[in-house]
Amino acid sequence: MQAPKPPNEAERLAALARYEILDASPEEEFEEITRLAARMCNAPIALISLVDHARQWFLSEVGLGVTETPLSMSMCAHAILEPDVLVIPDTRADSRFSDNPLVTGDPHVRFYAGALLETDDGHALGTLCILDYKTRELTEEQKDILRMLSNQVMKQLELRRMVRQQEQVIAQKEEARAMLDTAYAHEKQITETLQRSLLIDIDDRVFPGLDVAALYEAAWSEADVGGDFYDVFQLSPDEVALVMGDVAGKGLGAAARTAEVKYALRAFLQEYPDPARTLTRLNNFICQFHDYAVEDDPRFVALLLGVINVRTGETTLAFAGAEPPTLLRCDGAIELVYGIGYPLGIIAGGEYEMTTIHLGPGDTLMMATDGLTESRQGDKFLGQDGLANLATQARDADTLKGLGQKIVDQVKEFAGGSMRDDMCLLLARRSDA
């Protein structure tokens, strides 16, 4: 007689599937339990039987020699319908088992006893059972042993399930981390490509009456790709524009904003070559099209814009929260040029002012981002004065590019070779008359 299905069969099978144990390789923890059950109950056969939808599968077996049987032959399918240990002293005398092939043929089972393998929420997964070739009884002590051992099976199953869950969580975290690493590497590659395309190579560019050199070093090993940038372009036959900027933030977003700021500034300055008016328009443009009030995503821009008249030497500067530039006079004197102005993108409608200086023949204007001035040695920052002193020590360089390289090398030496931020340096020297 085949056992009827339990009323909660779908839920019971789902509970069994949660353990992911069917068809698993033999595990010593379960093998020890079946051996102990056979020994304590003096039985030739002991099984940990799990009742699936069409078969019973033996998680562990002693004495039977098979790993599963069809559900039509399952004695345990009857046992899971009982509230406690099911004991059949004589299988031939029980209508549920009398015509079972395991009874009528090999191995001629005459005795069966099975203790439920039950989940905490009441789903019977199968049994820990013992079988014998002769009719017999179980003592109350042996029934208790079967109950205790079946509890141990469930504890091992739960422990195994928890371990697998932890392994899956770890694997998922590792997979997610690998995916993030891949995405990060891809974004960084795009960002670096975009940022480098914005850093024009000015070594071969000629500006009559003005020598220009630029140096940029990214702190790739210390931070994500930053938003430092520079720009140099001809405004008119007599005027050259110089830009030094630092877009807040890192990564692809900062690089994209850099491109936006750079080309908007070019357009505004070409339309009306006035540095202060250009910064005013650029600030309003940034504030209008972006929400810069997001605390965890600051997007302001520190920027210094200068226009040099190479014929007269008159230089107009407009500041937007940028580092003050340094004037290296040809006679050895050094001057820091200060100006006032909020970073772009903070206050809509803000006005910017111009500062005018004179660049004589042989004088050099040095513009830098805070990656240089904020380099540090322990708790000591280099600062503006420190950068000016390094420029003084390096002014014996043969070329303007060499001067910039010496300054950058000295900054890195001051910081012990570990740069915490990108470094951007722009030098402009008016040619001798």
Side-chain angles (χ1 to χ4, degrees), residues 121-241:
D121 53 354
H123 294 298
L125 307 182
T127 69
L128 169 65
C129 63
I130 57 169
L131 293 80
D132 208 334
Y133 308 126
K134 61 184 179 181
T135 59
R136 51 175 288 191
E137 289 283 353
L138 273 189
T139 66
E140 290 301 320
E141 182 181 8
Q142 288 172 327
K143 289 181 183 179
D144 285 339
I145 289 172
L146 278 184
R147 292 187 188 99
M148 288 187 290
L149 291 178
S150 68
N151 288 337
Q152 288 302 312
V153 172
M154 288 307 304
K155 287 180 180 180
Q156 287 296 327
L157 284 174
E158 284 293 337
L159 178 61
R160 184 182 184 279
R161 185 173 69 89
M162 291 174 61
V163 170
R164 286 181 64 84
Q165 285 180 336
Q166 290 297 321
E167 290 174 345
Q168 289 171 356
V169 169
I170 293 172
Q172 289 170 355
K173 287 182 178 179
E174 291 177 349
E175 182 180 0
R177 187 178 298 113
M179 292 174 64
L180 287 174
D181 288 345
T182 300
Y184 171 77
H186 183 61
E187 178 176 317
K188 185 174 181 181
Q189 182 181 18
I190 295 173
T191 304
E192 291 177 10
T193 301
L194 175 58
Q195 188 178 53
R196 289 190 176 115
S197 71
L198 297 171
L199 300 173
I200 60 173
D201 185 0
I202 62 175
D203 290 344
D204 298 328
R205 305 185 79 176
V206 177
F207 301 97
L210 193 71
D211 295 330
V212 181
L215 291 94
Y216 178 88
E217 288 202 18
W220 307 124
S221 61
E222 298 293 334
D224 293 333
V225 179
D228 288 9
F229 73 99
Y230 62 84
D231 198 8
V232 183
F233 55 96
Q234 195 95 34
L235 272 178
S236 70
D238 290 337
E239 292 179 313
V240 176

Side-chain angles (χ1 to χ4, degrees), residues 398-411:
D398 295 333
T399 64
L400 193 62
K401 184 82 169 185
L403 170 64
Q405 189 61 59
K406 274 193 172 185
I407 293 171
V408 169
D409 290 344
Q410 289 179 123
V411 171

